[in-house]
């Protein structure tokens, strides 16, 4: 039986510091309706899609800081998105800042949820790879304080049954780490949904920063191909409170090929027909992990190298 679904990436342009969540949600509902009109069953929104990218600021006032996080979803502000999903029978991925009481204390995570076509949460993921710093860095126009405002995720890289296949999630910086894809590849993932906020000048080295767009796609295309999975990568982009962030949201096939790409730095919906069985062809041939991976040998190679025996 065919496992074809139309998927959408719903890129968002900048969100102002003062823009209320209700306004961001209204923008997302508009895009959900547009995607539905094109036949989409799954829509991927960006990382931290309900607010401006607040880790760029050093926020010392506790109440001011706590106001950037959500507790339970759906909240009153996000309810319209969940209702629209159920009405249209379109699922979505949503990134947000999570505050939770866990292990007897208040914890903060950079989180995403996967919501089914009935408007109910199927699964949750908490960002593992947190870039940046835990204290302000002198001389930077914009800080990147994710290590200050979030803990590393504690849910691993699970995959969830849904949309006719197995769906995994990543958040932004995770897409640069091969092991994030591989952990899901080993669970037979068919489609990875991910959102990102990537400042163009994130390293401070002009030669590296000039390759930001190339590295964005390189990471996702390699991850898709090497793990036989679709990848839907969605940006929040454009000049947000003075910080320029990359767009070029993409839908990538298990071949590693980009099959749809955004062309603006604004709210924009792109769609593609994703045949989830395309990954199966790669999993049964070049990336048949059971036949071709050699995990028992990987440690040996490191040992031999250490012993001065070049491979
Ligand atoms: N939000 C992110 O995780 N951004 C990082 C930047 C800072 C390198 C990224 O990997 O795109």
């Amino acid at each position: 039986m065919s496992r074809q679904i139309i998927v959408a990436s719903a890129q968002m342009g900048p969100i102002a510091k003062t823009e209320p969540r209700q306004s961001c949600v209204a923008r997302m509902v508009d895009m959900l309706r547009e995607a539905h009109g094109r036949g989409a069953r799954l829509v991927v929104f960006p990382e931290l899609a309900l607010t401006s990218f607040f880790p760029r600021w050093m926020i010392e006032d506790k109440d001011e800081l706590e106001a950037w996080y959500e507790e339970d979803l759906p909240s009153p502000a996000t309810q319209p998105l969940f209702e629209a999903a159920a009405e249209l029978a379109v699922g979505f991925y949503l990134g947000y800042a999570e505050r939770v009481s866990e292990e007897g204390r208040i914890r903060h995570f950079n989180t995403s949820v996967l919501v089914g076509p009935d408007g109910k949460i199927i699964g949750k993921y908490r960002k593992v790879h947190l870039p940046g710093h835990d204290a302000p860095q002198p001389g930077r126009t914009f800080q990147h304080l994710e290590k200050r405002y979030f803990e590393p995720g504690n849910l691993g890289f699970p995959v969830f049954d849904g949309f006719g296949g197995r769906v995994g999630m990543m958040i932004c910086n995770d897409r640069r780490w091969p092991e994030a894809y591989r952990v899901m590849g080993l669970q037979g993932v068919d489609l990875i949904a991910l959102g990102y906020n990537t400042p163009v000048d994130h390293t401070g080295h002009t030669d590296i920063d000039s390759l930001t767009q190339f590295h964005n796609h390189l990471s996702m295309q390699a991850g898709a191909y090497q793990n036989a999975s679709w990848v839907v990568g969605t940006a929040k982009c454009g000049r947000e409170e003075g910080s320029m962030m990359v767009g070029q949201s993409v839908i990538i096939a298990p071949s590693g090929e980009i099959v749809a790409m955004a062309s603006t730095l604004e709210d924009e919906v792109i769609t593609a027909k994703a045949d989830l069985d395309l990954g199966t062809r790669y999993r049964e041939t070049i990336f048949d992990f059971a036949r071709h991976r050699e995990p028992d040998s990987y440690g040996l190679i490191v040992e031999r190298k250490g012993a001065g025996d070049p491979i």
Side-chain angles (χ1 to χ4, degrees):
M1 204 182 77
S2 154
R3 293 195 299 147
Q4 292 190 349
I5 60 161
I6 296 177
V7 292
S9 164
Q11 174 176 286
M12 295 181 78
I15 299 177
K17 193 174 188 179
T18 52
E19 183 168 348
R21 283 151 170 87
Q22 286 81 354
S23 162
C24 300
V25 168
R27 286 165 60 181
M28 284 188 263
V29 170
D30 281 351
M31 290 199 281
L32 195 84
R33 291 192 185 283
E34 183 179 340
H36 171 257
R38 295 196 219 164
R41 284 182 51 205
L42 172 63
V43 179
V44 178
F45 293 110
E47 171 192 36
L48 298 179
L50 298 171
T51 64
S52 201
F53 189 77
F54 67 91
R56 73 167 64 91
W57 297 298
M58 175 63 192
I59 304 165
E60 288 180 282
D61 182 86
K62 191 171 179 313
D63 292 340
E64 188 191 336
L65 178 60
E66 292 298 336
W68 292 101
Y69 300 88
E70 319 297 317
E71 281 178 345
D72 295 325
L73 287 188
S75 55
T78 55
Q79 186 71 32
L81 184 60
F82 286 76
E83 282 172 5
E87 176 203 325
L88 303 171
V90 178
F92 64 88
Y93 160 109
L94 173 71
Y96 67 103
E98 178 189 18
R99 178 179 50 244
V100 63
S101 175
E102 213 176 69
E103 296 177 2
R105 63 195 169 94
I106 300 297
R107 306 180 72 176
H108 301 87
F109 296 100
N110 187 339
T111 298
S112 60
V113 283
L114 182 68
V115 174
D118 58 356
K120 302 265 184 318
I121 293 175
I122 295 175
K124 180 183 276 193
Y125 167 69
R126 291 172 174 159
K127 184 176 184 178
V128 168
H129 301 97
L130 298 173
H133 308 96
D134 62 6
Q137 302 299 293
R140 285 181 70 117
T141 314
F142 296 104
Q143 300 297 329
H144 197 104
L145 297 172
E146 283 197 60
K147 287 189 193 298
R148 183 180 190 91
Y149 298 145
F150 303 113
E151 287 182 55
N154 58 355
L155 302 176
F157 288 100
V159 299
F160 302 96
D161 289 332
F163 306 96
R166 312 197 93 187
V167 179
M169 292 184 273
M170 288 189 193
I171 302 179
C172 197
N173 193 259
D174 291 320
R175 75 194 186 289
R176 303 183 193 274
W177 301 91
E179 54 269 41
Y181 300 89
R182 182 49 51 88
V183 170
M184 291 192 267
L186 288 166
Q187 299 172 76
V189 72
D190 292 302
L191 186 145
I192 296 169
L194 77 94
Y196 57 91
N197 285 258
T198 299
V200 171
D201 55 350
H202 61 269
T203 72
H205 298 279
T206 320
D207 52 347
I208 303 177
D209 289 343
S210 64
L211 296 172
T212 294
Q213 297 197 336
F214 168 64
H215 290 149
N216 177 35
H217 287 171
L218 176 70
S219 314
M220 293 189 282
Q221 289 180 259
Y225 169 60
Q226 292 168 347
N227 296 281
S229 180
W230 287 85
V231 172
V232 182
T234 303
K236 173 141 68 62
C237 58
R239 192 168 294 285
E240 188 178 86
E241 297 292 346
S243 169
M244 192 64 190
M245 299 192 292
V246 295
Q248 296 194 326
S249 301
V250 275
I251 300 174
I252 302 169
S255 59
E257 293 166 291
I258 292 174
V259 297
M261 180 164 79
S263 57
T264 70
L265 292 174
E266 298 163 6
D267 290 5
E268 179 180 346
V269 177
I270 57 170
T271 50
K273 189 186 281 180
D275 179 356
L276 301 183
D277 284 328
L278 197 52
T280 313
R281 283 205 245 160
Y282 287 89
R283 276 197 290 272
E284 288 175 351
T285 56
I286 185 83
F287 290 120
D288 183 337
F289 291 161
R291 278 197 298 143
H292 305 309
R293 277 180 85 244
E294 298 291 351
D296 293 344
S297 301
Y298 301 156
L300 189 63
I301 289 170
V302 173
E303 261 179 44
R304 284 175 65 196
K305 259 186 140 171
D309 181 7
I311 308 297

